[in-house]
Amino acid sequence: MTQIFRLKGGMIDRSKKLNFTFNGKTLEGYHGDTLASALLANGQKLVARSFKYHRPRGIFTAGSEEPNALMQIGEGAFVEPNTRATVAELYNGLTATSQNHRGSLEHDLMAITDLFSPLLSAGFYYKTFMWPKAFWEKLYEPIIRASAGLGKLSAQEDPDIYDKGYLHCDLLIIGAGPTGLAAALAAGRAKARVILADEDFRLGGRLNAETMSVENSAGSHWAAEALAELASMENVRLMPRTTVYGAYDHGTYGALEQVEQHLGTALSKPRQILWRINSKRTLLCAGATERPIAFGNNDRPGIMLAGAVRAYANRWGVATGKAVSIFTNNDDGWRTANDLAAQKIHIKTIIDSRQSSNMQAPDNCEVIYNGRIIDTSGRHALKSITLADGRKIETDCLAVSGGWSPNVHLTCHQRGRPQWRDDIAAFVPGNELPVGMSVAGAANGEMTLHKALADGHASANAIVKELGFNPVRKSAPSAEDEAASVSAFWHVKEGTKRAWLDLQNDVTVKDIKLSYQEGYRSVEHMKRYTTLGMATDQGKTANIPALAVMAECTGKTIPETGTTIFRPPYTPVAIGAFGGRARGQEYRPVRYTPSHKWAKEQGAAFVETGLWMRAQWFPINGETHWRDSVDREVLQTRKSVGICDVSTLGKIDIQGRDAAQFINKVYCNGFAKLPIGKTRYGLMLREDGIVMDDGTTARLGENHYLMTTTTGNAASVYRHLQFCAQCLWPQMDVHLVSQTEQFAQFAIAGPNSRKLLLKIVDAEYDISNEQFPFMACGQITICGGIPARLFRISFSGELAYEIAVPTRYGNSLVRALMNAGEEYDVVPYGLEALNVMRIEKGHATGSELNGQTTASDLGMGRMMSTKKDYIGNILARRPALNRDDGFTLMGFLPVDHKASLRSGSHFIARGKSEIMDNDEGWMTSVAFSPTLDHSIGLGFIKSGDKRIGEIVIAADPLHGKSTPVEIVSPHFIDPKGELLRG
Amino acid sequence: MADYHLEAETPFGGYSKTFSNVSLRAITDKAVVSIAVSNDNSKAIGKALKTKMPSMGTFVSIQFSDGKLLAIEPQQMLVLFDNDSDDSIEAIAKQLPKTVCLNDLSDSFVMFEISGPNARKALERICAIDLHPNHFAPGALARTKMEHMATTIICEKTDTYLLMSARSSGPSFAHAIETSIHNTNT
């Protein structure tokens, strides 16, 4: 079988033969074919099985509205299910497989469901699987899931590459048919920046599928000339293979461009690009979609839309049958007959549902007015049709035309509702269009070529003029105005066979009637009850005829009955395209600390904390468990000295005459009198009185402060301060700059930390306890003149410092510190050891400052100043936040010291059942303390400070564990702070 | 005198790649200092730097050390100038009125210059703002984001852009630009 249905002509390149396979069979097509046109050229009529009843189905349309011809394309991990053969550009080596059948396509075992169709009407599963309840999850659902679904995923990682991008223009024209081309020419000539996007790989729309003339030459020829002119314009961007799938706020449109897919090779370049197009104005020139007429057994392979039959003949040089019949309710159907006849295809009969027509039929073609088809025959391909009068006509292709519906989809994406027009028996865009959008051509109800061209031209000129460009004085391209009379005829009432409305979801006229009968009056309910209009085609061919049937049921007009509106995407978009590059390690940016390179050399284990990659611990030879490393790091730091990269802490430089006053209003504790050269711990509240963040702020100069924040809140605190400075107190002279990136900062902790520092701090700086006491800060130099900042602060509870240098020296400084500390057996410590030591000391972090806790809860209620105003001052004093039996941050020790604790455990009084009614608090942080040689925990418990020594149960029902714990002070080590002041 | 010596390290020092129609080069010899600008000191700063103060979203060249003055916020400007040592603040402070608040941000950024006929095409993939010369001509600057990373972009001349992003995420930033170039390279 080699293209036995190929005709002469068409816009295919016959010098470029392409081989492809369908269900393992090798076939041949040409460059310029779609998969559908190539299959038809090879006489392949049966291409799919329907979703519910597994009925044989063939190619129905020639565009993205295709409900039937869904294929799996590609192999292995590259396979993509549910690809519409009608828009899949043919390439050499394309592998297509039909879907939704068990056994071969021709002998689908699941076709048995069609025999049970009387039992499987719309909504059957809502009723059938109600009883017994227990069967749903274990029996019904697995069976339904196994038999449902269109296509199969490879279950492997998608090896294709996707990208995203941003485009901008004055005018986005959606659709490059006659209207879009006329509009683009007008706007392009006026020098506006234009994007012309179309889902087809050949721009020109219906001009490529019709034989009508524009400017006295063939429409397709005119389209090619127009495109050549547009391509020569620097201000015009032509985007074939690009579907504008969604209209979003502020003139933003989503568009999916097929970049390399049609080349069919495993690629190093993206297969698709998801564009965000920002346009000042948009002109929707999306054309119209032909709709079918429902009649008995109207779903057989070989029954197609008339416009598609014409397109296959004219554009692709493919005959869809040898003896073709037409069933139409409008003049357009007749054009199919004439175009096919011109290609020497035998037109057997034209059946027009109307009483008459002015159209001329081809020679030797029978015309039947007021005709009705009630049945068809042919198991895998159409053989005959039966008329209402009982007459049977042998035919192998039936071209059906029920009129055309404007493609209003994108006009509805922001809840715009279309309006009905009786003269064309279709919905047109309503008045509530997305801001900046206009509609022209067939999409706007201008259903003839001349009108479409004129509308596109005029609309574009009006838009560019509004944008300040000067339209070129040139008239719209001229064309004939073809006959386009249509009657509202939706389905054949005669006959008893099932008449299909939605071919993709196997919804019949009877299903719609049943839906109405069962009380579903709203169109939206009908849609969900029957599944009409769902899945990949979103009912593009089915919605209007189904609505008409529903209108008949209700006795109302179609506009009175209503319509469904559309949501993005217009056509399916692969999830991979939405993901773009953001996969695996590229899911989000990674931030590295200044000592990352050095830590990696040490074999550190890393952990992601937000975007940061931080050293978690530094294993050494012989250590087999992370706890070995962490315990060693803690013990050695407390015994001698340890170093930790704390560059990730937020650092905000605050300068200005009002800097002190500003900080004093931001923190709940006093900062107005902080001396120069001193650092103070500060607690920041939200407006609602809950703790926002904590950190230290150092006064570096008269009007110069440096605030540190927790790593996780670096951005949000900076944003908060900017809000305060710009909106709350704009009169203040305050300047904020984030210096998080500017400085590499290291904590040096342990009894030997000062000794270590003395080896690198330049001699002129005295860092003795007397001259540089606890909470001192200063700008110093190290290593022979390198500028640095030194802070005498401690998170570990040890004698400790934090030293900051410009980031460029970070990598070098950590090496210098390690060298300098060699004689003290210095250790680097990671995030885990840092966490253990802060729990031992009773310091709060994100687990405790979780957006629900107050200063009082943290045991810092007395820090809240009563002498000044500050953010959170009023609401922090709400009675509910200051109850006597409120939560208090406490320490917890397992009664059995060998037991381990779990964060998230809830505290229950002994003897009470472990239910939420008895909940008294929760464990926020736990660690094994190598210093104390047992587990310790921090947590909030009601009236905790009055219950020291009491035993409660730390209940962890998730893990089935209940651990008796003793309430103790949260300061497990050095409660008086003697070490850090030493 | 301490016995230890610290080496300065530039992010992507020496990085320079040429693809067909696009070149990408790391800039490592520029200092970045932020200047707090107010109605009170704006004229004085302009006078000191011998330039008209740029309007928001633009920059002007200044005579000092082949510098540029970038208007990035209503009350903040960045000055970029040739200097790869630690004394950026001191160097620029000499040029400015004493009361101006300065902040050295030289170590806060990675900087890449992307140039060539395809530069704009490559940036289309990651840059949300309109870089068409009618909208973003030489002298323009914008703060935006690229692949979720805050970025300042300035158009130095036709088809030549300077990109500044956070130093800590520099590798991700470089990767994003390189991928864009690769994906658009023909």
Side-chain angles (χ1 to χ4, degrees):
Chain A
M1 187 165 69
T2 51
Q3 306 195 55
I4 54 172
F5 282 83
R6 190 68 80 175
L7 303 168
K8 286 182 182 167
M11 285 168 232
I12 45 172
D13 185 351
R14 290 169 198 260
S15 68
K16 291 183 183 167
K17 278 188 181 171
L18 304 173
N19 290 317
F20 70 103
T21 65
F22 175 66
N23 286 347
K25 189 164 56 180
T26 301
L27 301 169
E28 206 174 69
Y30 293 119
H31 186 263
D33 263 325
T34 61
L35 174 58
S37 68
L39 285 168
L40 287 168
N42 286 281
Q44 184 69 44
K45 293 210 167 174
L46 173 65
V47 298
R49 288 280 173 171
S50 71
F51 174 59
K52 188 170 164 186
Y53 299 124
H54 291 252
R55 290 184 49 101
R57 291 283 164 80
I59 292 157
F60 190 62
T61 74
S64 61
E65 67 273 29
E66 175 63 29
N68 283 344
L70 305 180
M71 307 273 172
Q72 306 240 138
I73 292 190
E75 289 177 299
F78 287 93
V79 75
E80 182 169 36
N82 299 327
T83 308
R84 289 149 294 154
T86 47
V87 292
E89 191 172 350
L90 194 69
Y91 55 81
N92 207 31
L94 183 148
T95 307
T97 318
S98 56
Q99 36 182 63
N100 209 35
H101 51 83
R102 284 193 198 166
S104 70
L105 174 63
E106 290 75 17
H107 305 288
D108 178 9
L109 298 174
M110 291 298 285
I112 195 166
T113 53
D114 200 25
L115 299 176
F116 294 106
S117 61
L119 303 174
L120 305 176
S121 58
F124 77 96
Y125 48 91
Y126 297 134
K127 307 165 190 167
T128 313
F129 300 111
M130 297 298 287
W131 182 91
K133 195 178 169 186
F135 276 29
W136 174 252
E137 206 169 313
K138 289 179 180 163
L139 184 66
Y140 300 146
E141 192 180 0
I143 293 172
I144 292 170
R145 282 196 183 280
S147 58
L150 290 167
K152 282 191 180 130
L153 293 168
S154 70
Q156 297 175 53
E157 189 180 346
D158 186 351
D160 283 313
I161 303 168
Y162 302 85
D163 207 355
K164 290 186 184 179
Y166 304 85
L167 296 175
H168 306 262
C169 61
D170 296 313
L171 177 60
L172 167 65
I173 300 172
I174 302 169
T179 313
L181 288 177
L185 284 172
R189 286 168 183 160
K191 305 294 179 202
R193 283 171 71 194
V194 175
I195 291 176
L196 177 61
D198 194 291
E199 60 186 355
D200 205 333
F201 56 89
R202 177 182 278 274
L203 302 184
R206 290 296 300 177
L207 290 173
N208 296 325
E210 307 289 1
T211 51
M212 289 178 294
S213 306
V214 180
E215 300 278 56
N216 297 319
S217 66
S220 57
H221 182 68
W222 178 83
E225 282 184 343
L227 286 164
E229 183 181 341
L230 290 167
S232 71
M233 294 180 188
E234 210 180 304
N235 53 319
V236 175
R237 183 170 184 143
L238 299 177
M239 298 187 72
R241 304 184 181 89
T242 304
T243 304
V244 179
Y245 64 80
Y248 302 95
D249 290 344
H250 312 300
T252 301
Y253 288 80
L256 184 73
E257 182 181 9
Q258 309 280 349
V259 191
E260 302 265 328
Q261 186 169 21
H262 57 287
L263 301 176
T265 46
L267 305 154
S268 65
K269 295 285 170 70
R271 165 192 177 225
Q272 297 176 339
I273 304 170
L274 195 90
W275 293 104
R276 268 174 252 188
I277 303 178
N278 297 291
S279 62
K280 289 180 185 164
R281 295 283 191 281
T282 301
L283 189 60
L284 182 67
C285 305
T289 298
E290 197 170 22
R291 57 203 180 212
I293 299 169
F295 54 87
N297 284 325
N298 61 331
D299 65 332
R300 294 190 194 283
I303 300 175
M304 303 171 69
L305 290 176
V309 170
R310 198 158 76 230
Y312 285 115
N314 292 333
R315 175 172 167 180
W316 288 287
V318 172
T320 48
K322 288 177 179 166
V324 178
S325 295
I326 315 287
F327 184 30
T328 184
N329 67 358
N330 64 81
D331 292 346
D332 193 75
W334 292 67
R335 288 222 317 279
T336 301
N338 287 312
D339 283 7
L340 264 58
Q343 294 257 34
K344 311 278 186 232
I345 297 169
H346 176 45
I347 305 300
K348 211 143 186 205
T349 323
I350 297 176
I351 304 147
D352 197 320
S353 64
R354 299 172 297 178
Q355 301 291 337
S356 65
S357 168
N358 293 326
M359 299 296 287
Q360 188 71 38
D363 294 341
N364 304 320
C365 167
E366 182 189 11
V367 176
I368 300 171
Y369 286 111
N370 203 18
R372 305 284 189 271
I373 300 174
I374 60 163
D375 196 9
T376 66
S377 74
R379 184 172 163 76
H380 289 158
L382 181 69
K383 284 185 180 163
S384 69
I385 55 175
T386 304
L387 304 183
D389 60 8
R391 199 175 139 204
K392 201 169 188 177
I393 300 169
E394 303 289 322
T395 188
D396 64 348
C397 174
L398 179 67
V400 182
S401 181
W404 294 73
S405 297
N407 289 326
V408 300
H409 304 70
L410 269 75
T411 69
C412 303
H413 283 186
Q414 290 171 30
R415 310 259 341 137
R417 299 196 80 84
Q419 294 174 347
W420 183 256
R421 254 177 61 183
D422 269 333
D423 61 325
I424 58 171
F427 281 105
V428 293
N431 297 323
E432 295 167 334
L433 299 177
V435 174
M437 181 189 276
S438 308
V439 191
N444 202 28
E446 299 296 349
M447 307 305 274
T448 62
L449 181 56
H450 173 72
K451 282 182 182 169
L453 289 164
D455 197 21
H457 178 82
S459 300
N461 273 342
I463 290 167
V464 295
K465 199 172 172 188
E466 212 176 287
L467 291 172
F469 296 93
N470 293 320
V472 172
R473 286 175 181 272
K474 204 165 178 179
S475 53
S478 61
E480 60 189 304
D481 234 358
E482 72 275 23
S485 165
V486 65
S487 71
F489 180 77
W490 310 104
H491 70 106
V492 175
K493 295 188 177 73
E494 298 87 344
T496 56
K497 304 292 182 183
R498 282 175 293 171
W500 306 88
L501 287 166
D502 186 333
L503 296 179
Q504 184 156 105
N505 295 293
D506 279 344
V507 180
T508 64
V509 171
K510 193 179 165 190
D511 289 327
I512 302 297
K513 289 178 176 171
L514 178 68
S515 164
Y516 174 76
Q517 194 180 313
E518 301 207 342
Y520 296 94
R521 301 289 189 269
S522 154
V523 176
E524 298 291 348
H525 291 163
M526 174 270 283
K527 180 177 169 179
R528 278 150 189 84
Y529 187 69
T530 62
T531 69
L532 182 128
M534 296 186 178
T536 65
D537 72 336
Q538 289 287 293
K540 289 188 177 67
T541 57
N543 284 344
I544 302 297
L547 198 60
V549 174
M550 182 137 179
E552 282 176 18
C553 295
T554 59
K556 294 178 183 171
T557 62
I558 290 176
E560 283 170 345
T561 306
T563 180
T564 57
I565 59 174
F566 303 92
R567 291 171 295 188
Y570 175 66
T571 51
V573 180
I575 295 293
F578 283 117
R581 298 181 195 173
R583 294 164 59 174
Q585 294 211 328
E586 291 186 61
Y587 180 67
R588 57 185 177 184
V590 180
R591 299 177 78 179
Y592 296 101
T593 62
S595 65
H596 184 84
K597 190 174 158 192
W598 173 84
K600 208 170 168 186
E601 288 167 15
Q602 309 311 307
F606 291 97
V607 62
E608 289 177 23
T609 53
L611 299 181
W612 287 102
M613 192 65 79
R614 298 189 71 177
Q616 204 170 7
W617 60 81
F618 294 83
I620 59 173
N621 283 343
E623 289 176 345
T624 56
H625 191 274
W626 66 270
R627 270 275 311 281
D628 298 341
S629 309
V630 174
D631 290 358
R632 173 183 50 78
E633 289 167 17
V634 171
L635 291 172
Q636 186 59 14
T637 299
R638 295 216 184 278
K639 183 182 165 196
S640 180
V641 61
I643 292 168
C644 181
D645 190 332
V646 292
S647 307
T648 60
L649 294 172
K651 308 173 202 79
I652 302 169
D653 189 274
I654 304 170
Q655 296 190 51
R657 287 190 305 273
D658 299 317
Q661 198 191 341
F662 178 82
I663 296 166
N664 208 38
K665 285 168 88 73
V666 166
Y667 280 132
C668 72
N669 51 322
F671 268 83
K673 293 178 183 169
L674 180 69
I676 295 172
K678 281 289 182 184
T679 305
R680 183 170 291 168
Y681 175 80
L683 198 63
M684 197 178 286
L685 306 187
R686 302 189 314 218
E687 201 66 79
D688 64 1
I690 300 292
V691 175
M692 173 189 262
D693 198 54
D694 71 343
T696 58
T697 291
R699 189 169 187 183
L700 301 173
E702 180 63 31
N703 294 321
H704 190 186
Y705 293 78
L706 182 76
M707 179 186 285
T708 63
T709 73
T710 55
T711 298
N713 284 334
S716 57
V717 170
Y718 183 65
R719 196 162 52 227
H720 173 65
L721 296 192
Q722 286 286 6
F723 174 77
C724 294
Q726 293 180 34
C727 303
L728 300 184
W729 312 307
Q731 75 285 0
M732 283 190 174
D733 180 40
V734 177
H735 305 285
L736 305 165
V737 174
S738 169
Q739 288 201 321
T740 306
E741 297 279 336
Q742 178 64 19
F743 287 98
Q745 193 153 320
F746 297 93
I748 301 145
N752 285 323
S753 55
R754 187 184 294 121
K755 288 179 191 165
L756 189 156
L757 272 177
L758 280 169
K759 295 175 78 174
I760 66 155
V761 171
D762 288 342
E764 56 265 43
Y765 297 97
D766 185 350
I767 59 167
S768 65
N769 198 35
E770 293 72 31
Q771 292 302 313
F772 204 80
F774 181 57
M775 299 307 273
C777 69
Q779 310 211 47
I780 60 168
T781 61
I782 61 170
C783 299
I786 303 297
R789 289 171 174 173
L790 188 63
F791 310 89
R792 173 98 184 260
I793 51 179
S794 175
F795 196 45
S796 58
E798 292 294 327
L799 167 66
Y801 299 81
E802 287 187 13
I803 186 165
V805 291
T807 303
R808 68 184 71 179
Y809 296 113
N811 181 39
S812 190
L813 177 59
V814 70
R815 294 168 199 271
L817 289 170
M818 290 303 294
N819 286 339
E822 221 166 69
E823 66 175 291
Y824 308 112
D825 293 328
V826 64
V827 288
Y829 64 91
L831 204 54
E832 284 299 326
L834 180 83
N835 196 40
V836 170
M837 287 192 278
R838 72 95 187 166
I839 294 172
E840 288 178 337
K841 181 62 184 168
H843 282 158
T845 60
S847 304
E848 287 77 33
L849 312 180
N850 67 348
Q852 296 175 302
T853 49
T854 65
S856 300
D857 296 343
L858 291 162
M860 298 180 191
R862 278 181 293 178
M863 275 179 67
M864 294 196 294
S865 174
T866 54
K867 295 175 184 166
K868 63 164 187 172
D869 191 21
Y870 54 89
I871 291 179
N873 180 28
I874 303 298
L875 293 178
R877 302 190 188 285
R878 283 178 285 168
L881 300 188
N882 294 280
R883 293 160 57 112
D884 287 341
D885 62 348
F887 291 114
T888 313
L889 183 68
M890 300 302 295
F892 295 88
L893 288 180
V895 173
D896 173 3
H897 279 199
K898 287 177 187 163
S900 60
L901 301 177
R902 272 186 188 276
S903 58
S905 300
H906 281 252
F907 300 123
I908 309 286
R910 277 194 298 183
K912 290 196 173 177
S913 53
E914 294 176 5
I915 57 173
M916 283 310 290
D917 286 350
N918 297 328
D919 183 27
E920 295 198 62
W922 72 100
M923 191 91 80
T924 54
S925 306
V926 298
F928 176 81
S929 166
T931 314
L932 303 172
D933 199 28
H934 55 73
S935 284
I936 55 174
L938 294 176
F940 292 103
I941 190 164
K942 287 175 183 172
S943 306
D945 51 342
K946 301 177 192 104
R947 297 167 66 180
I948 288 181
E950 185 181 327
I951 309 291
V952 294
I953 302 299
D956 179 14
L958 275 180
H959 299 91
K961 213 175 156 193
S962 298
T963 311
V965 291
E966 180 187 350
I967 302 172
V968 296
S969 158
H971 310 296
F972 293 96
I973 61 149
D974 191 26
K976 291 181 180 170
E978 289 164 349
L979 290 175
L980 46 81
R981 288 184 174 80
Chain B
M1 174 68 186
D3 296 331
Y4 300 92
H5 175 72
L6 299 188
E7 291 285 342
E9 208 172 63
T10 59
F12 301 98
Y15 176 100
S16 180
K17 276 188 187 174
T18 302
F19 308 82
S20 64
N21 293 321
V22 184
S23 297
L24 187 64
R25 184 168 69 94
I27 305 294
T28 54
D29 54 357
K30 292 278 184 196
V32 184
V33 173
S34 88
I35 306 177
V37 181
S38 66
N39 290 337
D40 299 340
N41 67 12
S42 177
K43 276 188 183 169
I45 293 169
K47 196 175 169 189
L49 294 174
K50 299 185 183 74
T51 182
K52 193 180 164 191
M53 293 298 273
S55 56
M56 274 294 299
T58 66
F59 72 89
V60 292
S61 294
I62 56 172
Q63 289 173 8
F64 174 70
S65 291
D66 194 21
K68 292 184 180 70
L69 189 61
L70 282 60
I72 58 165
E73 278 181 26
Q75 294 191 320
Q76 191 186 3
M77 295 206 177
L78 293 183
V79 56
L80 261 71
F81 58 97
D82 285 348
N83 189 344
D84 58 1
S85 62
D86 306 325
D87 61 350
S88 303
I89 291 270
E90 291 79 359
I92 193 70
K94 286 176 195 164
Q95 311 295 318
L96 294 167
K98 282 184 181 171
T99 53
V100 172
C101 298
L102 301 174
N103 245 297
D104 189 359
L105 297 175
S106 305
D107 287 21
S108 297
F109 297 103
V110 286
M111 284 189 256
F112 286 99
E113 181 194 83
I114 180 169
S115 58
N118 265 12
R120 197 146 56 91
K121 198 174 167 192
L123 288 173
E124 245 173 24
R125 298 294 171 91
I126 48 173
C127 181
I129 63 167
D130 188 357
L131 298 181
H132 190 277
N134 290 353
H135 291 262
F136 203 74
L141 76 86
R143 297 172 83 183
T144 179
K145 61 179 174 56
M146 296 186 187
E147 289 294 276
H148 308 288
M149 288 169 274
T151 307
T152 299
I153 176 169
I154 78 171
C155 181
E156 297 191 299
K157 53 188 179 185
T158 303
D159 290 335
T160 300
Y161 302 90
L162 181 69
L163 311 176
M164 301 165 65
S165 191
R167 179 170 175 145
S168 64
S169 49
S172 295
F173 189 60
H175 179 71
I177 305 169
E178 280 192 355
T179 305
S180 301
I181 294 171
H182 168 79
N183 287 352
T184 52
N185 213 1
T186 47

